[in-house]
Amino acid sequence: MVKSNEPYFSRHINSVGVIKGIPVSGTFELTRRCNFRCAMCYVHSEENRENELSAREWLKIASEARDSGMIFLLLTGGEPFLRDDFEQIYSSLAEMGFVITINTNGSLYRDGVRELLLKYPPTRLNVSLYGLTDETCATLCGVGNSEAVADSIRRMKADGQSVSINYSPVAANIGEMELIADFSQSIGVPVRFAHYVFPHTRNGLNDNVRLSPEQAAEAMEKWRTINGFSVQDDDENDECAINGRNVVCRAGRSAFWITWDGRMLPCGTMNVEGVSLRNMPFKGAWNQTLEFTKAVLLPEECSDCKKRGRCPVCASICLAETGRFDGRPEYLCKMVKGSAEEKI
């Protein structure tokens, strides 16, 4: 696979973090609430905010994480801009000196949020764009405001923000692939194309919207063709490929994820209980996460598979697809088999 376009300094620092067991990269899932209801979301819930960490709790965790080595911070949700105290949280985090990225659906980039991000520009804004017609957005996200999101992306770009689009092809939006490619090219904003969609969400909801493995492989090849990529030119990060049976990506090794209710996970897509930070200091939770990750063993048959360099298999995917870390994810086997490399 091709190396990622991630800056060298970030790759280097994370590699040092992996070697030394330092949590240099963190994700704060500020809320599970969202004004969209995307069918494939792994966290969204209509529940109230009673169990969300407070701003004070988030900032305490951030301070302890900084003391333990955290440099890079992703803020996500749900929709993080929904929090009434987002300005307090974000401005404090920015002043702590973290390299901050934000995941958002883009619909709330206005008024106070826009002014705040102009004052403290994040390293990048990742905007989820799942359709460019109201019909598709209403079907997939429960809200038909595609033009509002597109306008927000244009405004972010005009404001000088570093912007990236996240697009996941599923049954409801696969027909808008060309529209999204044309839109991104017209305004000069790159797209992260996530052709693998998890089969169910972390909050236990079933997901019946994803493509079949064969359709997912076909979608990837179509995306490459639309954008003028050859098979080898796709910009995927190969760090999640299995090498032996241990976890080799950053999850639980130099990176962590903290849920809206204060649980540390190795990765946000990993459906495990995690370690509660309500009952333990950050350093203790990180040490437990390190030990948990070291004990994870992935499928033996994947460790020596000749196709592993083209397969995005990882611990979270194995668990989601089979209920076990060492279960072979047949969906991925079929997806890779349907890829262009296999047909050459």
Side-chain angles (χ1 to χ4, degrees):
M1 277 199 182
V2 187
K3 292 182 179 179
S4 169
N5 277 339
E6 179 185 8
Y8 171 78
F9 81 95
S10 175
R11 285 188 283 122
H12 174 70
I13 292 173
N14 270 281
S15 66
V16 172
V18 166
I19 293 169
K20 296 183 176 293
I22 300 172
V24 298
S25 296
T27 298
F28 288 3
E29 185 182 272
L30 296 181
T31 182
R32 71 190 307 190
R33 292 177 288 122
C34 188
N35 53 332
F36 288 8
R37 298 184 301 279
C38 299
M40 61 283 200
C41 182
Y42 56 82
V43 66
H44 176 248
S45 171
E46 299 295 339
E47 294 179 11
N48 59 41
R49 66 189 76 181
E50 286 183 2
N51 292 322
E52 283 185 359
L53 292 180
S54 67
R56 181 178 179 181
E57 287 173 313
W58 278 119
L59 296 178
K60 179 177 182 293
I61 291 170
S63 178
E64 293 179 2
R66 180 182 59 180
D67 291 344
S68 294
M70 185 174 76
I71 299 171
F72 306 102
L73 176 59
L74 170 65
L75 300 180
T76 189
E79 173 49 56
F81 297 156
L82 273 179
R83 287 192 63 128
D84 297 334
D85 53 5
F86 179 78
E87 180 176 358
Q88 176 189 355
I89 294 172
Y90 180 75
S91 59
S92 297
L93 292 172
E95 289 171 359
M96 286 184 188
F98 297 117
V99 179
I100 301 176
T101 300
I102 303 174
N103 284 352
T104 175
N105 63 34
S107 66
L108 302 179
Y109 184 74
R110 57 178 183 265
D111 304 329
V113 167
R114 184 186 181 201
E115 293 174 5
L116 176 65
L117 299 188
L118 286 171
K119 182 178 180 180
Y120 299 105
T123 300
R124 189 173 65 253
L125 285 162
N126 297 324
V127 183
S128 298
L129 182 63
Y130 298 137
L132 280 171
T133 64
D134 284 351
E135 180 180 3
T136 294
C137 288
T139 299
L140 188 57
C141 303
V143 181
N145 62 349
S146 59
E147 189 55 34
V149 175
D151 281 345
S152 289
I153 295 173
R154 295 187 189 98
R155 193 176 303 117
M156 291 172 184
K157 180 74 173 179
D159 285 344
Q161 300 287 2
S162 175
V163 192
S164 177
I165 292 171
N166 288 339
Y167 169 50
S168 300
V170 293
N173 70 1
I174 190 66
E176 298 197 7
M177 189 181 296
E178 292 93 340
L179 287 177
I180 290 175
D182 289 345
F183 172 71
S184 70
Q185 292 168 9
S186 70
I187 62 174
V189 172
V191 177
R192 179 181 181 274
F193 183 87
H195 65 302
Y196 174 78
V197 174
F198 277 76
H200 61 75
T201 61
R202 209 179 64 213
N203 61 9
L205 298 176
N206 290 324
D207 181 351
N208 298 317
V209 300
R210 70 174 179 168
L211 303 171
S212 71
E214 294 80 10
Q215 290 171 328
E218 183 180 348
M220 172 56 81
E221 301 313 322
K222 184 176 181 180
W223 181 255
R224 291 169 170 171
T225 300
I226 291 171
N227 289 278
F229 302 153
S230 70
V231 172
Q232 289 77 25
D233 287 338
D234 183 47
D235 179 32
E236 289 186 22
N237 193 334
D238 62 352
E239 70 164 14
C240 290
I242 290 178
N243 182 9
R245 297 189 63 192
N246 298 109
V247 174
V248 297
C249 69
R250 298 169 186 171
R253 301 174 74 222
S254 71
F256 62 90
W257 184 293
I258 299 177
T259 65
W260 61 278
D261 57 351
R263 294 176 295 118
M264 182 183 288
L265 310 177
C267 171
T269 55
M270 191 176 289
N271 192 16
V272 295
E273 182 61 29
V275 184
S276 176
L277 284 159
R278 294 184 188 273
N279 308 316
M280 183 179 300
F282 178 90
K283 189 172 183 179
W286 172 245
N287 287 336
Q288 285 196 25
T289 301
L290 275 175
E291 293 306 309
F292 174 87
T293 304
K294 289 176 183 176
V296 171
L297 292 177
L298 285 81
E300 185 173 359
E301 48 272 62
C302 293
S303 66
D304 57 1
C305 179
K306 295 179 180 179
K307 302 173 185 177
R308 68 184 183 187
R310 301 191 296 275
C311 182
V313 65
C314 71
S316 291
I317 291 176
C318 291
L319 184 64
E321 294 285 349
T322 72
R324 298 164 44 190
F325 286 121
D326 61 354
R328 178 182 175 183
E330 295 292 339
Y331 182 98
L332 290 190
C333 296
K334 293 177 181 178
M335 188 174 72
V336 172
K337 186 177 181 180
S339 67
E341 291 96 330
E342 290 296 296
K343 298 173 181 179
I344 295 175

